[in-house]
Amino acid sequence: MTIVNLGMPGAGTLGVPHLLDEDPKQSKKDFSSDMEPRWCAGCGDYSILAAVQGFLPELGLKRENIVFVSGIGCSSRFPFYMNTYGMHSIHGRAPAIATGLATAREDLSVWVVTGDGDALSIGGNHLIHAIRRNVNLKILLFNNRIYGLTKGQYSPTSELGKVTKSSPFGSVDRPFNPASLALGAEATFVARTMDTDRKHLTTVLRAAAEHRGTALVEIYQNCPIFNDGAFELIKDREQAEARIVHLIDGEPVRVGADKVVARDDSGNLAVVAAKGADLSRVVIHDAGADDPSLAFQLSRLEDPTMAHMPMGIFRNVSRPSYDDQVRAQIGEVVTKAGGPATDLDLSGLLHGKDTWNVG
Amino acid sequence: MSIKRVERLDSVVIRFAGDSGDGMQLTGDRFTSETAALGNDLSTLPNYPAEIRAPAGTILGVSSFQLHFADHHVLTPGDAPDVLVAMNPAALRANLGDLPRGGTIIVNTDEFTKRNLAKVKYAVSPVEDGSLDGYHVHPLALTSLTVDALADFPLSRKDKERSKNMFALGLLSWLYTRPTTGTEQFLKSKFGSKPDILEANLAALNAGFNYGETTEDFAVTYEIAPAEMRAGTYRNITGNTAVAYGLVAAAHLAGLPLVLGAYPITPATDILHVLSKLKRFGVTTMQVEDEIAAVGAAIGASYGGALAVTPTSGPGVALKSEAIGLAVTMELPLVIIDVQRGGPSTGLPTKTEQSDLLQAMFGRNGESPVAVVAPQSPGDCFDAAIEAVRIATTYRTPVFLLSDGYLANGSEPWCIPDVARLPHNPVIFATEPNDVDANGDWVFHPFLRDPETLARPWAIPGVAGLEHRIGGIEKADVTGDLSYDPDNHDKMTRLRQAKIDGIAKTIPNLVVDDPSGDADLLILGWGSTYGPIAEATRLARQDGIHVARAHVRHLNPFPPNLGEVLRAYGRVIVPEMNLGQLAMMLRAKYLVDVQSYTRVRGLPFTSVELASVLTEANVNLSGVTR
């Protein structure tokens, strides 16, 4: 009988071959392909690439068992720069392709690299369904709130009123909040981090890698050409201090040095002064809560002015993953039948129950 | 008991027709199975409405099942029924036009109520007003006969009425001397957990059989001798089941896991149903969020080294087009099963058509060649699926298998192949570097081609030293690096085409059936028109017409001798259930003035219709001086 993994620590890479003790230690260099990255100077994608290449060695996985699958867009060039297996697919479809790959191959660590247009516009359907199924995929959503490769149109995460080449009078589309969207699809792991905050980014990537099932990591990423400074308010040290809502599991949710998130009389969340706050109303973050409501409420603290911006892991719960269950169903049937099908089994199938002989 | 006369017939066409809730498909299936067990050759054609439950008693809700069985080789489900079983006025109204005068009609008079007659605009019951005088009519109160036979059962009247199809089946089984033991066994396995329903169905079946035996309504019973068929073990099989089994067999023989990415779509869904049960054969079926995800999941699985398949119909192919192009350029094996239906758009979802040939050929952006294979009969779907897998895995290419609604749901006796004799097609994955770089070091080049097939290595993740990236952007020849070089793109475009063209080297020559050897008229078809064309040819030859016949299985590339065959005849007729798509391809490629004969009625050709096309062509031909 095949066991469905329920997600103990490190479960994210269970079934994927690890390096042996005698194997040489991997370094960032091992994960860099010989292709020179061709993003614009100052693009946030460089920092993310460096963080991912720097972090992967610590997983201790065999490099040949790691696959990066991407869609279309600036960020989707990512696999070319990784010295792993990789596929640069078509616009929006990476989660679907990765779902097939992850289901067919238990021994692979499958990563999806996508952007806000790729994941949330043309590929929105595949994203929510991958999340709903909880396929064992790590989805890195580079969110720069703009279409970069097509040279600057508003994206599904661009703020309302955004003036771009395709919205000279201001965009009238309401943006998606990717974390809220993922939580609405009952994602088992949702996090938000920042391209330039290497430490935070790496912490989140580590947790995502350990998670069994779909991990959606939204990474705010600066596009220096078409949407420069989009996240400046939460990057600038002074400004950020007061704006970032720190999501740390098991701790009160703090905003800056002197504020906390607390429930008001109607149960809604509000940012209030820490001093004098009713301690019974201060929200203690519980990323492992079975019910996604609190995580969703926290995701709604974000507003267009970036007055408060939650960063960190919104949700991290254990649920059986799709691919594990698909394999378990097959494994159970095959085991019960005494092993893989033989020619005799095939002959039995072709005959069925209702035959007759001629001659 | 009256003594009945027994009459021998060589062939019979029966059509069971009723409301879509009357169980006509099941009745037809069971009669088919009984008939197959007797050794008759047969062919079936189910015809059901697109609506699951159209309003009861209306023409829209009529579902029918036609079965042609004979003591000789049967090529089609029959042009017109000899016997019509009409379970209600709508079934009579919808089908009477197809029944030649002198045909037999069995009607369930219980359903011929004022209300039901009015629903289909019969002012008076046609059973009583003499309008059926030209037919042999057996007006039977099938519903009340069934209810009476089940008087002692602890079931509601409604439940008892439900067994009327079994009563009708029993009666027809008696009339055509069919055994009912197979149906009894079938009912036992279907209703084993519901003993009351099981007993009622068995009782209704027996009551129907006995009714025929005892009533004065039927003076004659019929026998149809077994057909002469190739020795072997047979079963009845539908096209969709045969496709599914062909895929399982091909995967088993190649030692690959089978992964199906699917989204439900009529008339292809049964392939998903059949395969989802076959976990014993390691089959993974993924029912995903849409057609694009279905082909996407298949491409992902193929990249991972599985035999990847996506089954669909025309509208699904339209959605998958971009992803199929990706598989073309990444050169990964992929089998796309298109069970064609009437189009464009939603079209006629439950009816048959051959109008996706050009979509399969050209329905993608860029120069995007794929292989195309078409089965010719329900049983042939098995072999065609194996052939599609052979091409896909050998040449690392998407392959279209063009089935259609007629093949998918139609059935025929199938001589079960010996597994040991099925074609083995071993697949070799890349395991080591395959080239030497400028420095003399061993490297892996994902687009270094096999000189014979022009196929690139199938290099799946998990092999150290072969890490590489592939994708939709043009790749440099050999190395697979990204390349925007004009000459490289020209070369790669031609290489991809040459690879598909080269498949022809492994395709058998087209065989022409020309017994007299002096025909100047060729009838050429593809796909499911095989049966009607072959039968029409037989009829024409009986009339002394010299006609040659050939059927194309490989639509891309074509068999090597196709051009030669076409040029050898003064006139070539190409019947298609579209507006001439193969004809267009033949004219374009061979500059031969083939003549199209086309119908898009959602139904297969009749053999009589095609025979008259041949007769007419022959008359015209004789006036031609060459």
Side-chain angles (χ1 to χ4, degrees):
Chain A
M1 150 130 189
T2 315
I3 309 286
V4 171
N5 195 298
L6 270 173
M8 303 308 287
T13 58
L14 208 81
V16 183
H18 283 63
L19 293 173
L20 304 173
D21 289 341
E22 61 264 33
D23 288 329
K25 278 250 176 301
Q26 291 170 339
S27 69
K28 182 184 171 200
K29 209 169 153 238
D30 293 311
F31 285 92
S32 312
S33 79
D34 52 9
M35 191 184 285
E36 199 65 39
R38 279 202 218 155
W39 289 306
C40 308
C43 178
D45 291 357
Y46 284 104
S47 334
I48 304 171
L49 177 65
V52 171
Q53 286 171 337
F55 142 83
L56 277 177
E58 75 177 61
L59 291 180
L61 301 177
K62 292 201 166 182
R63 197 162 45 91
E64 62 270 23
N65 288 78
I66 300 175
V67 184
F68 279 81
V69 182
S70 64
I72 293 291
C74 294
S75 58
S76 287
R77 293 297 182 95
F78 197 93
F80 288 118
Y81 310 130
M82 296 296 302
N83 192 14
T84 61
Y85 282 86
M87 185 192 293
H88 177 232
S89 76
I90 44 176
H91 209 9
R93 316 304 169 199
I97 292 170
T99 294
L101 181 61
T103 306
R105 292 286 300 272
E106 183 179 17
D107 62 331
L108 301 179
S109 171
V110 183
W111 298 69
V112 170
V113 176
T114 181
D116 40 315
D118 193 56
L120 299 170
S121 221
I122 195 166
N125 201 30
H126 306 306
L127 181 79
I128 57 173
H129 286 279
I131 289 173
R132 168 176 75 86
R133 290 190 190 98
N134 198 31
V135 189
N136 198 23
L137 301 175
K138 315 304 151 211
I139 303 177
L140 310 184
L141 196 172
F142 296 17
N143 183 4
N144 57 14
R145 298 186 169 178
I146 198 80
Y147 280 95
L149 198 63
T150 49
K151 302 188 198 291
Q153 300 77 28
Y154 63 99
S155 91
T157 54
S158 296
E159 58 275 20
L160 203 59
K162 180 87 172 170
V163 173
T164 70
K165 281 181 191 158
S166 59
S167 54
F169 294 87
S171 152
V172 296
D173 290 23
R174 250 171 212 292
F176 267 139
N177 174 330
S180 299
L181 180 76
L183 289 163
E186 300 205 29
T188 54
F189 185 105
V190 181
R192 177 183 291 146
T193 181
M194 181 77 79
D195 55 358
T196 46
D197 188 345
R198 179 74 167 266
K199 196 173 151 210
H200 191 260
L201 175 55
T202 303
T203 310
V204 167
L205 289 175
R206 190 176 296 129
E210 284 184 1
H211 178 73
R212 189 99 189 150
T214 304
L216 181 88
V217 180
E218 182 191 12
I219 307 172
Y220 281 153
Q221 171 245 323
N222 191 46
C223 172
I225 308 298
F226 297 107
N227 202 16
D228 195 22
F231 305 105
E232 203 46 43
L233 289 175
I234 47 171
K235 282 191 180 203
D236 175 78
R237 240 169 230 289
E238 262 173 50
Q239 296 269 6
E241 177 60 29
R243 293 170 189 268
I244 289 183
V245 180
H246 300 281
L247 301 178
I248 300 166
D249 197 27
E251 290 188 14
V253 181
R254 291 196 180 81
V255 186
D258 54 356
K259 288 183 184 147
V260 288
V261 173
R263 291 194 185 282
D264 66 15
D265 287 343
S266 51
N268 293 325
L269 301 191
V271 176
V272 299
K275 202 171 169 186
D278 177 351
L279 286 182
S280 68
R281 292 193 173 204
V282 172
V283 172
I284 311 291
H285 186 40
D286 182 6
D290 195 51
D291 187 307
S293 305
L294 172 64
F296 188 81
Q297 276 188 307
L298 287 167
S299 77
R300 306 310 296 167
L301 286 174
E302 172 189 338
D303 74 9
T305 65
M306 291 195 187
H308 310 116
M309 184 58 78
M311 302 292 283
I313 298 169
F314 290 89
R315 189 163 198 242
N316 186 2
V317 296
S318 293
R319 295 258 194 287
S321 82
Y322 170 85
D323 44 313
D324 282 335
Q325 292 177 94
V326 168
R327 289 187 294 261
Q329 278 191 349
I330 295 168
E332 229 166 281
V333 172
V334 171
T335 307
K336 214 169 153 190
T342 63
D343 283 6
L344 204 65
D345 294 317
L346 178 60
S347 187
L349 171 71
L350 301 187
H351 279 72
K353 288 180 184 156
D354 209 355
T355 63
W356 68 96
N357 290 307
V358 172
Chain B
M1 186 193 298
S2 53
I3 305 290
K4 309 280 183 168
R5 195 156 56 81
V6 178
E7 203 173 296
R8 285 212 141 206
L9 298 176
D10 57 3
S11 115
V12 178
V13 179
I14 299 179
R15 186 182 293 178
F16 296 93
D19 202 60
S20 46
D22 283 343
M24 289 300 97
Q25 301 302 325
L26 176 73
T27 310
D29 269 343
R30 294 319 312 159
F31 194 85
T32 302
S33 181
E34 294 173 1
T35 295
L38 262 187
N40 294 128
D41 198 6
L42 62 88
S43 173
T44 70
L45 177 66
N47 192 357
Y48 51 92
E51 293 78 13
I52 301 300
R53 289 280 186 278
T58 63
I59 296 273
L60 276 178
V62 173
S63 163
S64 71
F65 186 100
Q66 184 163 312
L67 166 70
H68 180 193
F69 58 106
D71 65 359
H72 54 266
H73 188 34
V74 171
L75 290 156
T76 75
D79 291 353
D82 302 308
V83 181
L84 172 66
V85 179
M87 298 301 277
N88 67 3
L92 183 68
R93 174 71 109 187
N95 290 286
L96 188 60
D98 295 339
L99 190 73
R101 294 270 151 174
T104 300
I105 303 173
I106 297 172
V107 284
N108 179 11
T109 51
D110 285 330
E111 290 295 319
F112 281 60
T113 59
K114 211 168 175 183
R115 201 178 122 97
N116 284 351
L117 289 164
K119 275 186 192 169
V120 292
K121 303 201 168 72
Y122 277 131
V124 193
S125 169
V127 181
E128 283 154 19
D129 71 356
S131 60
L132 301 180
D133 282 355
Y135 304 90
H136 293 294
V137 185
H138 297 280
L140 303 179
L142 287 174
T143 310
S144 35
L145 282 167
T146 307
V147 172
D148 290 351
L150 304 180
D152 298 338
F153 283 79
L155 294 172
S156 67
R157 185 179 168 89
K158 208 169 171 189
D159 277 340
K160 289 176 183 171
E161 287 182 359
R162 282 217 178 101
S163 296
K164 64 181 182 290
N165 62 333
M166 285 300 120
F167 187 96
L169 177 62
L171 175 61
L172 270 290
S173 302
W174 169 81
L175 188 59
Y176 290 97
T177 340
R178 315 278 101 176
T180 55
T181 41
T183 298
E184 285 162 14
Q185 273 169 12
F186 168 84
L187 291 170
K188 281 173 193 157
S189 71
K190 186 173 166 80
F191 296 116
S193 58
K194 297 172 189 159
D196 286 349
I197 306 278
L198 167 65
E199 290 305 324
N201 275 299
L202 288 173
L205 182 70
N206 280 326
F209 196 94
N210 293 336
Y211 180 82
E213 187 105 1
T214 49
T215 183
E216 298 295 328
D217 275 339
F218 297 92
V220 186
T221 133
Y222 302 97
E223 278 183 10
I224 294 87
E228 243 185 69
M229 293 165 83
R230 181 154 63 99
T233 303
Y234 283 77
R235 63 171 289 167
N236 197 50
I237 200 160
T238 65
N240 272 345
T241 301
V243 164
Y245 286 6
L247 295 171
V248 171
H252 177 82
L253 295 169
L256 297 176
L258 177 61
V259 175
L260 188 84
Y263 187 78
I265 183 168
T266 304
T269 315
D270 272 340
I271 297 171
L272 168 63
H273 293 166
V274 172
L275 288 173
S276 62
K277 289 186 203 145
L278 299 181
K279 305 208 177 342
R280 201 268 162 277
F281 293 85
V283 179
T284 301
T285 52
M286 305 172 69
Q287 183 189 312
V288 289
E289 61 272 18
D290 60 26
E291 294 281 359
I292 304 173
V295 67
I299 289 172
S302 174
Y303 180 63
L307 173 58
V309 180
T310 189
T312 188
S313 187
V317 173
L319 287 164
K320 293 176 198 293
S321 294
E322 187 194 14
I324 295 168
L326 177 69
V328 167
T329 195
M330 293 198 302
E331 304 192 40
L332 284 174
L334 174 70
V335 176
I336 306 118
I337 297 155
D338 179 359
V339 185
Q340 301 165 96
R341 66 190 215 188
S345 186
T346 305
L348 302 173
T350 61
K351 310 297 179 197
T352 196
E353 207 160 281
Q354 293 182 299
S355 44
D356 292 347
L357 175 58
L358 295 182
Q359 178 177 226
M361 285 293 296
F362 305 115
R364 289 165 298 286
N365 64 305
E367 293 290 344
S368 182
V370 295
V372 182
V373 175
Q376 64 181 31
S377 71
D380 185 47
C381 287
F382 180 84
D383 297 314
I386 291 179
E387 173 65 354
V389 171
R390 176 191 75 85
I391 296 173
T393 53
T394 307
Y395 292 88
R396 330 279 197 228
T397 177
V399 179
F400 269 92
L401 185 69
L402 285 183
S403 177
D404 64 28
Y406 173 50
L407 295 176
N409 294 314
S411 73
E412 65 175 355
W414 178 54
C415 188
I416 302 162
D418 179 357
V419 169
R421 292 182 176 206
L422 290 174
H424 273 256
N425 174 38
V427 166
I428 299 161
F429 294 120
T431 53
E432 52 193 19
N434 59 354
D435 210 356
V436 178
D437 69 8
N439 302 325
D441 296 326
W442 279 102
V443 289
F444 179 66
H445 282 151
F447 281 80
L448 180 64
R449 293 167 193 280
D450 178 285
E452 178 59 30
T453 60
L454 296 182
R456 75 177 193 90
W458 194 356
I460 66 175
V463 182
L466 270 53
E467 293 88 351
H468 65 281
R469 276 63 58 190
I470 56 173
I473 298 183
E474 186 61 281
K475 291 145 289 285
D477 187 24
V478 180
T479 64
D481 294 339
L482 298 189
S483 169
Y484 298 95
D485 177 68
D487 289 335
N488 176 74
H489 177 57
D490 187 85
K491 183 174 187 187
M492 289 297 275
T493 302
R494 290 173 199 281
L495 273 170
R496 286 187 287 263
Q497 183 66 51
K499 180 178 78 167
I500 298 301
D501 293 344
I503 297 168
K505 283 183 276 185
T506 63
I507 295 175
N509 270 332
L510 186 66
V511 176
V512 180
D513 165 44
D514 181 11
S516 71
D518 56 3
D520 200 27
L521 172 65
L522 172 71
I523 183 163
L524 181 87
W526 70 278
S528 74
T529 53
Y530 169 78
I533 289 176
E535 181 65 14
T537 307
R538 201 174 63 87
L539 295 174
R541 285 175 187 159
Q542 279 174 359
D543 286 346
I545 297 173
H546 291 192
V547 54
R549 186 189 59 78
H551 211 71
V552 184
R553 177 188 195 72
H554 294 91
L555 282 313
N556 196 42
F558 285 130
N561 66 332
L562 181 55
E564 207 179 301
V565 167
L566 292 173
R567 290 186 197 101
Y569 293 88
R571 178 166 292 204
V572 181
I573 308 254
V574 181
E576 293 180 82
M577 296 186 287
N578 56 43
L579 296 187
Q581 300 193 4
L582 175 63
M584 178 190 279
M585 286 167 60
L586 295 174
R587 285 165 168 238
K589 186 167 170 81
Y590 299 110
L591 302 179
V592 167
D593 186 22
V594 303
Q595 292 176 10
S596 241
Y597 179 79
T598 62
R599 280 278 184 279
V600 279
R601 300 176 60 242
L603 293 168
F605 288 112
T606 69
S607 43
V608 169
E609 171 187 19
L610 292 181
S612 69
V613 171
L614 288 173
T615 307
E616 199 178 315
N618 189 57
V619 168
N620 295 341
L621 193 67
S622 53
V624 175
T625 320
R626 290 175 71 235

